[in-house]
Amino acid sequence: MQRKIEALTDHIIVCGAGTTGAHAIRELLSTKTPFVVIDRDEARLAELWEEHGASAPAIHGEAYDDQVLSRAGIERARGVLVMLHDDRDNVYCTLTARSLNPRVRIISKAIEDGAAAKLERAGADRVVSPNFIGGMRLVSEMLRPSVVEFLDTMLRGREGLRIEEVRVE
């Protein structure tokens, strides 16, 4: 397993394979984006391995540990998704990842309302609050169901098709 991880470049490091992380992992697999998962829960990693096998390389350990992030290839990664269960851990993981690779793109999850500013100060490029997004989506589904359905069709389309971002120089 470690040999496969050592070969990864321009990959995504997924910090946390909990509920939010599981959705992110499915999307990364669907879009064939190379990634490695870090989680401290061995049982969760075993479930991940059982469901996805070698397609989901994983490391057991704390995602905010320098050595664990180094084993995940932080210096070769293009991005880090920080989705731990606690805002303090998310801040610490973001700070550690930023110190190990100043160029990597870091997207972090915020749980509490006040955490976003701290995560940005710690080095997150963007902060996402699943609770905020969930609340907005619920209201949008209630007030504008046809618009939501249209946008979902445009953004998701058939399985495996996504609208992609292309950089034009």
Side-chain angles (χ1 to χ4, degrees):
M1 175 68 71
Q2 187 61 34
R3 187 176 313 247
K4 182 177 181 176
I5 293 169
E6 288 171 356
L8 286 174
T9 58
D10 202 35
H11 60 291
I12 307 297
I13 299 174
V14 177
C15 298
T19 308
T20 306
H23 290 292
I25 290 164
R26 280 193 282 282
E27 180 66 9
L28 291 167
L29 285 166
S30 176
T31 58
K32 297 179 178 27
T33 303
F35 69 94
V36 61
V37 178
I38 300 171
D39 200 281
R40 65 177 164 204
D41 186 334
E42 287 185 271
R44 188 175 298 130
L45 292 177
E47 289 171 16
L48 181 68
W49 182 259
E50 189 174 308
E51 185 177 349
H52 303 292
S55 323
I59 297 173
H60 175 252
E62 296 291 352
Y64 48 75
D65 182 279
D66 293 34
Q67 292 177 339
V68 172
L69 282 168
S70 290
R71 284 181 40 218
I74 184 76
E75 66 283 344
R76 302 179 313 276
R78 80 170 173 192
V80 181
L81 295 172
V82 181
M83 299 172 285
L84 304 174
H85 293 291
D86 180 275
D87 283 329
R88 287 180 303 241
D89 289 346
N90 288 331
V91 168
Y92 194 39
C93 184
T94 298
L95 185 63
T96 304
R98 177 61 66 215
S99 72
L100 293 173
N101 184 344
R103 297 168 311 286
V104 74
R105 182 164 171 79
I106 301 172
I107 311 300
S108 186
K109 173 175 103 171
I111 299 159
E112 300 296 325
D113 288 338
K118 290 177 184 166
L119 285 159
E120 288 170 350
R121 284 195 307 270
D125 293 291
R126 293 286 185 265
V127 177
V128 175
S129 170
N131 293 332
F132 174 79
I133 290 172
M136 296 297 288
R137 175 66 183 239
L138 286 164
V139 171
S140 294
E141 286 282 2
M142 180 61 67
L143 301 179
R144 300 172 288 281
S146 297
V147 172
V148 171
E149 183 179 351
F150 172 76
L151 291 173
D152 281 350
T153 302
M154 292 287 297
L155 294 174
R156 292 244 176 233
R158 290 176 279 148
E159 187 62 33
L161 294 178
R162 303 289 187 270
I163 292 177
E164 291 290 333
E165 182 174 319
V166 178
R167 183 181 207 133
V168 179
E169 297 293 331

